[in-house]
């Protein structure tokens, strides 16, 4: 155990934190690879899925905000669930995040490589081996930036997110001006009605919609490196969620207005390219791909931050081997943990190159990650409700909003996430179940090995 290990404190302010939260969810990347999937699942009720799951995610955001005020830790869910429900359950909450970050390396780096080849050598886009090689190069670049320190990482992230935001804003404004006049799907308020779902269709659509929002919680993983660690990360998470919910709702509506079902299916993981090309011609289609590329590289960067900070916190507490808590003497970054995720990401990319098609990789990754997201975020919502349960016993009618944001909303969101995950399991194929649930269960091996190591290290 190495409680003295400290990250580079007071490095980030509110602006950098908000941008990190937005970049963590990767608006352009999420829209690009997930829109066709959610529309294929929920159809014109996709906006309702985004809306309802956004409200669910707000409950989890309040759980993170409140638990961060109680304990600002780079380990986030791992640290809070350990504090409330014990170290074993806390270990698995953190382990689920570690596993999904690894899987995410495949599902995010492949679109980055696709976007690169679409710009420079379009015929090679469907060649899995070329895609894997370009993806490995991007992963290496991101790892080099992250290991150099949080300040450089934040500067790179700010520049990429601003460029991405300007491109997406132009596309959105033009879409709202042009598409309503010749809508492919006639607009209806029914698109936003959660009452129109069947339980099965809602659960399936919701699991994909949850993936849209994943990543904003990186602001909390960076709390030990942020000024006013107990307050600013929470504010950043809240405003990130406000922006993301509005953005995703508008973009899903724009997609339904501007593209037919056949076009959505044809363009699949190139939705923004299709919209920009339809509005402005091929040149702007490629500009849109630049936005997707920046977004994808940005979200891999934030994923690497989440992975390494969680691994660092678990190792610092003795839940994993102490080597991962080592900090670089100059850059104050967990360089051993960064090296580990780089090697793991390269290995997973190599393995993925033997799957038959790129679409298979993406589809299996998204659904498996959705399950793991529900698991660790759901545990955090329940932990928040239990930690602040006394709010309900101390005359909650005197502070009803506090009772809602500290207990009722986080717990309801946590329960709902578990419902979505469990209801969807029978619909998964064996590969998705193996990655989604098996990835969590396999955490028992490092848990038991580490406990044996610690017992052996104690003096007799």
């Amino acid at each position: 155990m190495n409680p003295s290990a400290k990250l580079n404190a007071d490095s980030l302010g509110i602006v950098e934190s908000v941008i990190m939260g937005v970049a963590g969810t990767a608006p352009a990347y999420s829209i690009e690879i997930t829109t066709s999937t959610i529309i294929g699942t929920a159809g014109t009720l996709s906006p309702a899925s985004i809306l309802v799951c956004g409200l669910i995610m707000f409950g989890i955001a309040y759980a993170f905000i409140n638990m961060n005020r109680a304990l600002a830790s780079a380990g986030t869910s791992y640290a809070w669930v350990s504090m409330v429900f014990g170290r074993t359950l806390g270990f698995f909450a953190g382990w689920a995040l570690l596993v999904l970050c690894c899987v995410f390396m495949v599902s995010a780096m492949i679109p980055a490589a696709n976007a690169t080849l679409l710009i420079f050598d379009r015929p090679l886009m469907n060649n899995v081996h070329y895609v894997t090689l370009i993806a490995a190069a991007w992963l290496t670049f991101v790892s080099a930036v992250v290991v150099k320190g949080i300040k450089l990482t934040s500067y790179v992230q700010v520049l990429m997110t601003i460029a991405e935001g300007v491109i997406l804003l132009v596309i959105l404004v033009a879409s709202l001006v042009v598409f309503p006049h010749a809508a492919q799907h006639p607009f209806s308020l029914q698109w936003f009605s959660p009452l129109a779902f069947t339980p099965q269709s809602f659960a399936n659509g919701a699991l994909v919609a949850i993936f849209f929002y994943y990543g904003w919680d990186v602001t909390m993983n960076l709390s030990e490196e942020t000024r006013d660690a107990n307050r600013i990360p929470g504010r950043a998470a809240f405003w990130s969620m406000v922006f993301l919910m509005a953005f995703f709702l508008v973009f899903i509506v724009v997609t339904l207005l501007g593209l037919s079902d056949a076009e959505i299916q044809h363009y699949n993981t190139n939705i923004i390219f299709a919209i920009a090309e339809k509005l402005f011609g091929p040149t702007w289609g490629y500009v849109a791909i630049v936005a997707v590329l920046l977004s994808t590289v940005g979200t891999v960067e934030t994923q690497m931050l989440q992975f390494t900070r969680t691994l660092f916190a678990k190792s610092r507490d003795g839940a994993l081997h102490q080597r991962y808590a080592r900090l670089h003497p100059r850059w104050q970054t967990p360089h051993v943990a960064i090296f580990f995720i780089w090697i793991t990401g390269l290995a997973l990319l190599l393995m993925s190159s033997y799957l038959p098609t790129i679409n298979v990789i993406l589809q299996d990754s998204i659904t498996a990650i959705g399950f793991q997201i529900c698991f660790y975020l759901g545990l955090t919502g329940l932990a928040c409700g239990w930690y602040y349960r006394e709010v309900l016993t101390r005359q909650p009618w005197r502070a009803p909003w506090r009772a809602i944001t500290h207990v009722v909303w986080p717990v309801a969101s946590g329960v709902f996430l578990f419902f979505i995950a469990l209801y969807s399991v029978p619909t998964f194929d064996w590969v998705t179940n193996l990655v989604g649930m098996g990835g969590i269960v396999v955490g028992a091996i490092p848990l038991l090995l580490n406990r044996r190591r610690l017992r052996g290290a104690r003096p007799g």
Side-chain angles (χ1 to χ4, degrees):
M1 198 176 294
N2 186 17
S4 63
K6 293 189 180 297
L7 297 162
N8 197 2
D10 299 327
S11 297
L12 303 176
I14 183 66
V15 174
E16 296 101 322
S17 293
V18 171
I19 287 177
M20 283 290 188
V22 171
T25 303
Y29 164 79
S30 298
I31 287 289
E32 188 80 339
I33 74 158
T34 316
T35 298
S36 62
T37 303
I38 194 169
I39 291 178
T41 303
T44 54
L45 291 175
S46 299
S49 286
I50 295 293
L51 180 61
V52 173
C53 288
L55 294 175
I56 293 168
M57 201 59 81
F58 256 113
I60 300 300
Y62 273 115
F64 272 73
I65 291 167
N66 296 326
M67 294 307 293
N68 187 69
R69 287 175 180 162
L71 174 66
S73 171
T76 59
S77 293
Y78 149 72
W80 302 328
V81 174
S82 296
M83 181 174 69
V84 176
F85 294 137
R87 290 175 64 86
T88 299
L89 204 54
F91 179 93
F92 281 104
W95 182 261
L97 176 59
L98 295 179
V99 171
L100 76 89
C101 285
C102 289
V103 176
F104 191 84
M105 290 297 171
V106 177
S107 64
M109 285 284 80
I110 287 172
N114 257 333
T116 305
L117 290 172
L118 183 59
I119 295 170
F120 295 106
D121 201 338
R122 191 168 185 170
L124 293 177
M125 273 182 58
N126 292 315
N127 186 309
V128 175
H129 299 295
Y130 275 102
V131 169
T132 302
L133 185 63
I134 300 297
W138 274 119
L139 180 62
T140 302
F141 167 75
V142 172
S143 302
V145 171
V146 171
V147 80
K148 289 284 287 183
I150 191 61
K151 289 302 290 185
L152 175 62
T153 303
S154 67
Y155 292 152
V156 172
Q157 194 66 263
V158 167
L159 290 173
M160 289 193 298
T161 305
I162 289 174
E164 172 195 352
V166 170
I167 296 170
L168 292 177
L169 181 62
V170 172
I171 294 171
L172 271 181
V173 171
S175 299
L176 292 172
V177 171
V178 174
F179 289 156
H181 297 295
Q184 297 294 323
H185 299 85
F187 179 78
S188 171
L189 291 177
Q190 188 77 4
W191 292 1
F192 302 92
S193 173
L195 301 178
F197 285 106
T198 64
Q200 181 68 55
S201 65
F202 177 73
N204 291 343
L207 196 66
V208 180
I210 290 297
F211 183 83
F212 268 93
Y213 289 105
Y214 169 65
W216 55 267
D217 51 318
V218 67
T219 60
M220 304 300 185
N221 290 101
L222 299 174
S223 59
E224 294 183 36
E225 296 158 271
T226 306
R227 293 190 291 274
D228 196 357
N230 295 98
R231 295 174 63 84
I232 285 181
R235 292 176 184 172
F238 178 84
W239 288 113
S240 297
M241 276 298 302
V242 170
F243 169 82
L244 291 165
M245 190 171 176
F247 173 81
F248 289 139
L249 272 173
V250 173
F251 222 109
I252 290 292
V253 169
V254 161
T255 302
L256 288 170
L257 291 174
L259 301 179
S260 66
D261 290 337
E263 287 173 321
I264 292 170
Q265 186 176 7
H266 172 72
Y267 283 99
N268 196 14
T269 57
N270 290 301
I271 292 295
I272 299 177
F273 175 85
I275 292 173
E277 189 175 50
K278 200 167 189 178
L279 288 168
F280 305 113
T283 301
W284 256 89
Y286 287 101
V287 173
I289 291 301
V290 172
V292 174
L293 179 59
L294 293 173
S295 180
T296 307
V297 173
T299 195
V300 170
E301 185 179 275
T302 58
Q303 282 294 293
M304 193 168 287
L305 290 171
Q306 283 194 284
F307 181 95
T308 55
R309 271 47 178 185
T310 301
L311 188 58
F312 164 80
K314 294 184 79 168
S315 300
R316 181 178 59 185
D317 294 348
L320 287 172
H321 198 285
Q322 195 173 353
R323 70 171 71 92
Y324 302 113
R326 294 175 189 163
L327 296 178
H328 193 278
R330 180 180 175 187
W331 302 320
Q332 290 298 103
T333 55
H335 60 292
V336 177
I338 294 168
F339 179 78
F340 177 78
I341 187 60
W342 175 63
I343 290 293
T344 304
L346 290 178
L348 289 174
L349 282 170
L350 180 63
M351 290 168 57
S352 73
S353 68
Y354 289 96
L355 288 178
T357 67
I358 290 168
N359 286 336
V360 169
I361 300 170
L362 290 175
Q363 190 64 44
D364 289 345
S365 297
I366 290 169
T367 48
I369 288 171
F371 180 87
Q372 292 160 351
I373 291 169
C374 289
F375 178 78
Y376 92 89
L377 292 184
L379 278 177
T380 308
L382 298 179
C384 178
W386 187 252
Y387 184 79
Y388 288 101
R389 64 191 182 279
E390 290 186 0
V391 172
L392 296 181
T393 61
R394 294 180 179 177
Q395 299 178 318
W397 56 87
R398 291 187 176 178
W401 185 243
R402 181 177 170 84
I404 290 170
T405 58
H406 286 65
V407 181
V408 178
W409 202 348
V411 169
S413 295
V415 170
F416 202 83
L417 288 176
F418 277 111
F419 162 76
I420 292 171
L422 294 175
Y423 199 88
S424 300
V425 164
T427 68
F428 294 162
D429 59 27
W430 71 270
V431 175
T432 305
N433 276 321
L434 181 65
V435 176
M437 291 189 291
I440 296 174
V441 172
V442 78
I445 297 174
L447 174 67
L448 296 175
L449 288 176
N450 189 63
R451 287 183 176 177
R452 173 187 269 185
R453 181 182 63 82
L454 291 176
R455 282 196 299 269
R458 290 176 189 150

